Every structure is written in C-alpha cells, then in structure tokens.
Amino acid sequence: MTDALVELHRLTVNFDDRPVVDHVDLRVQRGDIITIIGPNGAGKTTLIKAILGLQPISGGALKIAPGLTIGYVPQHLTLETTLPLSVRRFMLLSGRSHQECMEALTKTGVEHLLHASVHRLSGGEKQRLLLARALARRPDLLVLDEPAQGVDINGQAALYELIRSLRDELNCGVIMISHDLHLVMAATDKVICLNQHVCCSGYPADISHDPAFIETFGRPVAESLAVYHHHHNHSHDLHGDVVSADHDDHTECSHAHH
Amino acid sequence: MPIIDAVLGDFFWRALIGGLGVALIAGPLGCFVVWRRMAYFGDTLAHSALLGIALSFLISVPLNVGVIVTCVVLAIALVLFSRSKTLATDTLLGILAHSALAIGLVTLSFMPDIRVDLTGLLFGDLLAMSRNDLLWIYGGALLILALLTVLWRGLLMSTIHEELARVEGVPVERLRLVLMLMFSIVIAVAMKIVGVLLITALLIIPAATARRLAGNPEHMVGLAILFGFIAVSGGLTMSWHLDTPAGPSVVVTGFAVFLLVYGSARQVQT
Ligand SMILES: Nc1ncnc2c1ncn2[C@@H]1O[C@H](COP(=O)(O)OP(=O)(O)OP(=O)(O)O)[C@@H](O)[C@H]1O
Ligand SMILES: [Mg+2]
C-alpha cells in the first residue's frame, strides 16, 4: 500500500462547543478523487480547512505527508479592489514560470483573459482562474471547494473531466466538495456524504442506495441518481475498471449534429 | 565635502531631504495600509508615538527607540486583542488611539523640567530635523526597502488572499509582525515631518491617489512614492514661505494632488 497524502483519524472541529466536524476518518492517496457532498452547513468547508491547516482542530489526529505541494481553490474569492491586479500578475505570484502559468490558463480555458483585471472577471471565469492557479503549482494534492460553482453547464462536465485528467497527469490526490450530485456520481472514485459526521461513504454506484444517503438527501434525489446510473453510458466491471456500454444505448441520447 | 555641509547646514534642506526619505518609505507602506484597510490601525499606532516619547524621557532612551518599541508593543497587543472579538475592532482602535494620546500628553505634563515642543510633535516642525534624524530616516529607509524587496512576494500574496498564501506556505503571521515593525519605524521617522496627528494622511493620501492611475501593485507603489515626493516638497515650500506648520502644509498639498488626479484622470482598468 502506498503512503497516504492525508490521513485523518477521528478528526473533530468544534465551534462554541458544537461539533461541526465530528469524528471524521479519511485517507487520501495519490490518484484518489474523493468528493465530499452534504447539505449547506454540513461542515464540508470546515473539514477541508482543517486539512489545509487553516482551521485549528479540536480533537483527533491529522497527518499530512511532509513537503506536500497543495493546490487550493477556496469556496469564495473576495479580492480587495484597492489592489490593482491583472490575471497575469496573479498567476505569476504563484512563483511559477510564465509558460507554466499560460499552460494552466489554457487548460482551464481562460488564457484569453491574461491581461484582464481580476476584479472584472465573471464568477465562472474567476473559478477557472483559481483552478489554473492551483494547477500551475503542479500540486501533489488538489483541494477544491465547489470548483464548478458559477461555471456554465457545458463547462461543468468539462471541468470535472479536466480534474480527472489532471489526476492522471500529475498523479495527485484530489479532495473536492461539490453539490453537482449527478456529475459527481459519474466522475468520482469515492464519495463521502458529510453531515457533521460521515453519514455514509463509498463508490458512487452504491451510495445512492444507502439508507443514510436517502435520509440526508431525500428519496427523490436518491432515486434520480439511481436512475441516472442506469442510463449511464459506461459501467464498472468487478475491478472497478470502466467498460464501454453497448452502442445501442448511445443512439437514444445522441446529439443532433448539423 | 563643503557643498554637502552647506546643504546639511541649512534647516530647510535638511527638512526637505528628510521628508523625501520619509516619502520614499511612506509610499509602499501606505499602499499596504490602503490594501489591508489599516488606516485606523495606522492612526492608532501613530497616536501612541506620543506615549513613546514620554516614556523615552522617563527612562532616558533615544526618542526614536522609545517610539518604535512602544508602537511595536501596541501593534502586537492590538493584533492579539482583536482576535478575541469581544469588542468591534474599530471600537477597540478608537479606545486605544485616544487613550494612548491622552496618556502620552498627561505623562509629558508631569515632566515640567523637560521642554518639549508639543505643537511640533503634533503637527510637525521644519526646524526639528537634525543631522542625526537624517541618519535615522535613511537608515530606516534602507532597512525597510531591503525588507520589502526580499519579502515582496509573500507580503503581496498574504495581502491578496491570506488563506491561499497560507496554503502556499507563506509565513503569514511572521510577515504581519514584520509589517508592524516597518510601520513603527515609519511612524517614528515621519513624526518629525508631519507630526503625530497627520502621519496616517501621509501614508494613505499618496497611495489612494496612485490607485487611480495604477495597473499593477508595483506601479501603484512607484506612483505613491512620486505623489509623496510632491506632497513633501510642496508642503515644506509652503511652510517656508507662508510660515504655516509643516505637517498640515504637506497634507494640504497631497490632498490637492489627490483632488486633481481624481478630478481629471480616467480610471485605469485594473
Ligand atoms: N468561524 C466560524 N465560527 C463559528 N461557526 C462557524 C464558523 N465557520 C463555520 N461555522 C459554522 O459551521 C457550520 C459548517 O460550516 P461550513 O462552512 O463548513 O459548511 P459547508 O458544509 O461548507 O456549507 P456550504 O455547502 O454552504 O458551503 C455552519 O453552521 C457555520 O455556521
Ligand atoms: Mg462550504
């Protein structure tokens, strides 16, 4: 077994003696994509801030591999407008070369904004810029707090696809928070459903049948996800490898081409 | 050299040379005050300078040392206090700023055998600039510019986004302390030019003026230094000819430039 990048053991964070993250166990290795889902206020952001060392922990143990380079995309990016800052300068402040920064911007599709001011970007553009900055650092661990918020529908699927290909390219671990259950279910290795404590976790295909999941998200959501999986255009064999579905399946949902 | 001696022998030239040295460091630090919304914080530190002076007389250490140490101690106390969040930060700053000023004034009044020029301390004094002060100013400027150059990326990054900076391994807390130390130095040396009450103005007016025209942080720093030079040389000239107090004259000049720039220039798009 390879060494873990991050290992949590019964990690707990209290605010005013109220546990917001309650006895969470988690292990992230290179190549893992772990998605944390859960309702608002469930403690997802608090959990990853604890992992990043931004939030003091109240109990349990947190082990981070030494010398880890972490790329972080925060949930909110509020920048002081009195500080003039271009996309280019913001990227270069990562300490990486111009070329590495350009490549990262190209990957997330915002290279045309190189000379724009960061204060004038749209929500989705800002999100892509943040991801580019995290990438430029060639991280061992990517920590993404709702990376697809504000990204357009086509962009969202592409973004999750990009995250997966980055995982392969950099051989990094990924921890991400997401509310896009449908997309997440298709793109992740492991889902953790958090509601203060871990209420269930496992492979996406299994989790939607979990009683705890159904209780947290309600039966309609769980069923829609289960249905979604039924129509999915690939399935997993016993080893977890992806096998293509029959071609017949595709004709039903093929796009209209002109 | 006789020419240098002649220049340094003239109090107006000493004040001008000193003032330009102060503007040189007030530019970049003023930008940080604006970017980090620390105007009121800077004001509080500046007000405590008077307390520093009183204490230096009391235990007979050089004034600059007393002021710097007092400012650093107060800055650290402020950072620690504001974390506890029992009082809103602006209330806390308001209390400390004026209490420090009041305690300083009361302490000074207890020392009748020491003659201090209170007006000069509060509003700046053209005549007050000694050769020794010039050494302090340029020594401080050299130290601050060196620190800024070495620590620039970390300082900028922790100003732009503290959490990103932390994750990237920037020692945010240590840099905050260094910044406090630099503020304390600039307050100790700027006191001679503009006086305790107007130091914050010398920090933020040139920086705010520069924001209108700047496209990136370094550009803003450069312009802030330039506007600081204009304010200092204009203000001291005014003070010389019209016999007005140095500090207010410098601030008035800076403010006039601010109005001019905001009135006429089209804002740069960043
Ligand atoms: N600094 C803080 N002090 C006190 N309470 C806090 C603090 N930060 C977060 N909380 C509380 O902790 C709980 C969890 O917050 P957190 O931001 O982790 O939720 P989340 O799961 O990320 O929610 P969302 O999906 O809305 O982003 C919330 O109830 C919030 O009010
Ligand atoms: Mg959150």
Side-chain angles (χ1 to χ4, degrees):
Chain A
M1 210 170 189
T2 49
D3 286 336
L5 298 174
V6 175
E7 203 165 357
L8 311 185
H9 181 62
R10 301 178 70 75
L11 183 105
T12 300
V13 178
N14 295 331
F15 285 127
D16 311 320
D17 292 330
R18 176 177 66 104
V20 167
V21 174
D22 196 9
H23 294 97
V24 171
D25 291 311
L26 177 67
R27 193 184 151 86
V28 185
Q29 286 170 222
R30 283 191 185 278
D32 283 348
I33 297 185
I34 292 177
T35 303
I36 303 172
I37 59 173
N40 293 137
K44 305 180 296 295
T45 299
T46 309
L47 173 62
I48 61 166
K49 282 196 179 169
I51 295 173
L52 293 169
L54 300 172
Q55 171 66 53
I57 63 177
S58 322
L62 164 66
K63 242 181 24 213
I64 307 278
L68 207 62
T69 304
I70 301 178
Y72 172 44
V73 173
Q75 184 170 7
H76 303 289
L77 179 75
T78 31
L79 296 172
E80 180 55 57
T81 49
T82 50
L83 201 159
L85 193 66
S86 66
V87 167
R88 178 169 183 274
R89 194 77 183 80
F90 183 58
M91 288 298 289
L92 287 175
L93 273 174
S94 67
R96 297 301 191 263
S97 73
H98 183 77
Q99 195 192 338
E100 283 170 303
C101 292
M102 275 315 288
E103 280 169 14
L105 286 171
T106 309
K107 273 189 189 138
T108 60
V110 283
E111 76 280 10
H112 59 287
L113 294 172
L114 188 65
H115 297 290
S117 156
V118 292
H119 302 302
R120 284 163 188 255
L121 300 184
S122 74
E125 288 170 343
K126 228 182 226 179
Q127 214 56 34
R128 289 163 186 266
L129 169 62
L130 277 174
L131 186 61
R133 195 161 187 291
L135 296 186
R137 292 169 42 76
R138 303 194 72 78
D140 305 305
L141 177 68
L142 259 179
V143 180
L144 314 170
D145 197 341
E146 303 190 22
Q149 57 173 315
V151 172
D152 52 65
I153 301 255
N154 295 330
Q156 286 190 3
L159 195 82
Y160 287 114
E161 183 58 46
L162 173 68
I163 291 168
R164 251 181 310 170
S165 70
L166 285 170
R167 181 265 314 262
D168 298 336
E169 184 191 323
L170 299 172
N171 188 29
C172 60
V174 179
I175 305 175
M176 100 180 130
I177 294 175
S178 174
H179 290 296
D180 312 313
L181 296 185
H182 288 87
L183 289 166
V184 163
M185 292 296 183
T188 319
D189 301 335
K190 190 181 174 195
V191 176
I192 291 179
C193 172
L194 190 76
N195 199 354
Q196 273 85 64
H197 62 283
V198 176
C199 61
C200 56
S201 69
Y203 292 104
D206 307 328
I207 199 170
S208 54
H209 302 296
D210 195 303
F213 182 88
I214 295 169
E215 192 181 326
T216 310
F217 287 96
R219 190 165 288 280
V221 172
E223 275 172 3
S224 78
L225 287 173
V227 169
Y228 173 77
H229 262 275
H230 208 71
H231 287 310
H232 196 34
N233 67 5
H234 70 256
S235 53
H236 295 267
D237 66 14
L238 290 175
H239 306 289
D241 294 330
V242 172
V243 292
S244 306
D246 289 338
H247 277 286
D248 304 24
D249 270 4
H250 276 283
T251 48
E252 261 182 289
C253 60
S254 64
H255 304 275
H257 293 288
H258 298 285
Chain B
M1 278 211 282
I3 174 113
I4 292 181
D5 254 0
V7 167
L8 291 185
D10 185 293
F11 68 86
F12 177 79
W13 285 106
R14 275 202 308 271
L16 186 63
I17 293 170
L20 295 180
V22 169
L24 185 66
I25 45 180
L29 290 179
C31 288
F32 279 107
V33 172
V34 169
W35 295 335
R36 293 180 165 228
R37 305 184 173 229
M38 291 171 74
Y40 211 4
F41 184 89
D43 224 20
T44 306
L45 285 194
H47 281 38
S48 74
L50 209 63
L51 179 62
I53 290 178
L55 291 179
S56 335
F57 279 130
L58 218 56
I59 56 176
S60 43
V61 293
L63 292 191
N64 286 318
V65 176
V67 171
I68 292 174
V69 170
T70 311
C71 288
V72 169
V73 169
L74 192 79
I76 293 171
L78 273 174
V79 171
L80 294 180
F81 257 126
S82 58
R83 272 200 202 137
S84 75
K85 293 202 170 82
T86 36
L87 282 175
T89 310
D90 65 329
T91 308
L92 186 70
L93 289 176
I95 292 173
L96 285 179
H98 299 112
S99 304
L101 185 64
I103 295 172
L105 289 170
V106 168
T107 316
L108 280 179
S109 75
F110 274 128
M111 297 184 282
D113 16 316
I114 293 165
R115 283 177 42 85
V116 277
D117 169 19
L118 208 53
T119 323
L121 285 178
L122 294 177
F123 299 110
D125 185 359
L126 262 187
L127 303 171
M129 187 72 65
S130 68
R131 289 182 188 220
N132 193 25
D133 289 329
L134 287 183
L135 276 182
W136 269 96
I137 290 176
Y138 280 89
L142 215 62
L143 176 67
I144 287 179
L145 292 180
L147 282 173
L148 282 174
T149 312
V150 175
L151 305 174
W152 186 249
R153 197 179 79 83
L155 280 171
L156 201 56
M157 210 36 233
S158 53
T159 304
I160 292 170
H161 199 285
E162 196 176 303
E163 291 191 334
L164 272 183
R166 245 183 244 271
V167 170
E168 290 176 8
V170 175
V172 173
E173 291 303 328
R174 239 178 300 157
L175 288 178
R176 197 195 310 280
L177 279 181
V178 175
L179 205 57
M180 299 296 165
L181 177 71
M182 293 195 283
F183 280 137
S184 305
I185 295 176
V186 86
I187 285 168
V189 300
M191 211 168 57
K192 293 281 160 36
I193 299 288
V194 289
V196 169
L197 294 182
L198 296 173
I199 287 175
T200 315
L202 185 65
L203 286 169
I204 62 176
I205 292 177
T209 314
R211 174 62 185 101
R212 181 76 172 186
L213 304 172
N216 65 51
E218 292 77 12
H219 191 195
M220 182 160 155
V221 167
L223 285 173
I225 293 175
L226 178 72
F227 289 129
F229 283 172
I230 295 174
V232 164
S233 40
L236 292 184
T237 309
M238 178 173 154
S239 171
W240 166 253
H241 285 292
L242 306 178
D243 199 22
T244 48
S249 313
V250 168
V251 174
V252 165
T253 313
F255 182 58
V257 177
F258 171 83
L259 287 181
L260 214 69
V261 168
Y262 271 75
S264 63
R266 225 162 39 87
Q267 176 153 23
V268 167
Q269 300 270 305
T270 22

